[in-house]
Amino acid sequence: MAGKRDVQSDRLAELAGEASADAAIQAAAMAPELEQSLTVPPDLTAAAFFDVDNTMMMGASIFHFARGLAARKYFSSSDLAGFVWQQLKFRVGGREDPESVKASREQALSFVSGRSVAELVSLGEEIFDELMADRIWKGTQALAQMHLDAGQRVWLVTATPVELAQIIARRLGLTGALGTVSESENGIYTGRLVGDLLHGKAKAQAVRSLAAKEGLDLRRCTAYSDSSNDVPMLSVVGTAVAVNPDSQLREISRRKGWEIRDFRTGRKAAKIGVPSVLGAGALAGAVAATLAYRRRVR
């Protein structure tokens, strides 16, 4: 009986991942895609996928967003403290136990329920400028720019809300973003998710689905992450790169021969060189995109 229950649980998790992937792909399709530079011949079958938290950005993007909302009196400091604790357990603990995932999901839902989508997107733009722009890892941004300079498309793939992920992608000049999708009706969040959190195996499924939709050859694609939770996503592409890796991902990367990039040591983006993932003849000399002017909350 235990074996049967395990099989059923695995199948339910697989179905949840497929639903999350479908929702993420649909949300990405609805967002305007940035035009590829006309000076770079497009490479139509290769792309790069970047995790956000601790990979593209220092810390958790949803935490910075929560800080911005707390500063605007959307919730109390004690609510923020509880949010921080839950996010630390879920995002930093490195475990995907069902209770933690459920608690994080319910918290994310309470975060937006009854709010206007347009209102939160506008706030997200402001909060990015105030609290996130200065926390982008320049080295990771340079890696993303190198893919763009080679004519490849670049997507963020993250458990953070898709609207926030799309703001980050737009600000960095990337192609687009896949993220957790919250249901909305008539422009108001309902308090329900479409699918589940885009996390763990769901990220890998989302990448596969996007590759099928866009005609990508996953063997020519690259994925970047800091977390062992993203091993499924890193494993579906031809080239995996661990960026600022946690200890478990560092060990896995060494065992599998994956490239490791650690920007926490203070190395300058200009010194990282052209990564092997772009192959011979790739365009070098990428310049990090200008960060948006940071407006202060008064």
Side-chain angles (χ1 to χ4, degrees):
M1 287 295 292
K4 184 176 181 180
R5 285 197 299 270
D6 290 343
V7 171
Q8 291 174 335
S9 297
D10 288 345
R11 181 52 183 159
L12 288 173
E14 181 180 345
L15 290 172
E18 290 173 358
S20 303
D22 290 343
I25 297 299
Q26 291 171 7
M30 293 173 64
E33 185 169 306
L34 297 174
E35 293 185 5
Q36 188 74 43
S37 171
L38 297 179
T39 62
V40 180
D43 186 342
L44 298 179
T45 62
F49 305 98
F50 285 81
D51 172 51
V52 173
D53 297 346
N54 298 314
T55 302
M56 182 63 72
M57 178 180 295
M58 303 174 195
S61 53
I62 192 67
F63 167 65
H64 299 312
F65 185 51
R67 283 181 57 207
L69 291 182
R72 291 163 172 79
K73 310 301 181 185
Y74 271 68
F75 47 80
S76 69
S77 57
S78 60
D79 290 335
L80 180 61
F83 178 84
V84 171
W85 173 242
Q86 184 58 49
Q87 292 301 313
L88 282 172
K89 287 198 298 180
F90 176 57
R91 295 174 182 274
V92 182
R95 296 189 62 83
E96 297 182 57
D97 62 279
E99 288 305 313
S100 291
V101 173
K102 179 181 178 183
S104 187
R105 178 179 65 239
E106 290 175 348
Q107 188 175 57
L109 292 175
S110 65
F111 209 72
V112 300
S113 181
R115 300 284 188 180
S116 160
V117 175
E119 174 191 13
L120 288 181
V121 169
S122 178
L123 288 172
E125 298 276 1
E126 293 180 10
I127 293 169
F128 178 88
D129 293 342
E130 294 163 5
L131 300 174
M132 300 183 193
D134 291 342
R135 290 174 170 81
I136 298 297
W137 288 106
K138 297 293 184 65
T140 310
Q141 188 177 5
L143 290 172
Q145 187 62 45
M146 287 179 187
H147 285 280
L148 294 173
D149 287 347
Q152 299 176 9
R153 287 165 288 177
V154 177
W155 280 277
L156 300 178
V157 186
T158 175
T160 208
V162 66
E163 293 86 356
L164 182 56
Q166 289 169 349
I167 289 169
I168 298 169
R170 286 197 301 273
R171 284 292 204 266
L172 299 181
L174 309 181
T175 307
L178 306 178
T180 297
V181 180
S182 294
E183 182 185 69
S184 64
E185 293 180 355
N186 301 317
I188 303 297
Y189 289 113
T190 65
R192 296 185 294 270
L193 287 184
V194 180
D196 214 322
L197 293 173
L198 197 66
H199 180 71
K201 293 179 180 179
K203 281 190 179 183
Q205 184 60 41
V207 167
R208 290 192 192 97
S209 298
L210 184 63
K213 175 179 177 291
E214 298 290 333
L216 299 172
D217 179 354
L218 284 174
R219 293 170 297 181
R220 299 193 63 237
C221 292
T222 309
Y224 298 82
S225 179
D226 72 296
S227 173
S228 58
N229 288 330
D230 285 340
V231 167
M233 178 179 74
L234 294 168
S235 298
V236 302
V237 296
T239 303
V241 183
V243 176
N244 306 325
D246 61 29
S247 58
Q248 188 173 355
L249 180 58
R250 184 178 292 275
E251 178 58 32
I252 292 171
S253 298
R254 286 172 174 164
R255 190 166 65 247
K256 290 180 174 289
W258 291 347
E259 187 174 355
I260 298 174
R261 298 279 181 149
D262 199 328
F263 302 115
R264 294 169 296 189
T265 61
R267 287 176 290 178
K268 301 295 184 180
K271 294 181 180 178
I272 64 175
V274 181
S276 59
V277 297
L278 293 183
L283 298 177
V287 178
T290 303
L291 295 175
Y293 182 76
R294 181 179 178 180
R295 298 193 299 270
R296 297 184 180 276
V297 178
R298 295 185 182 277

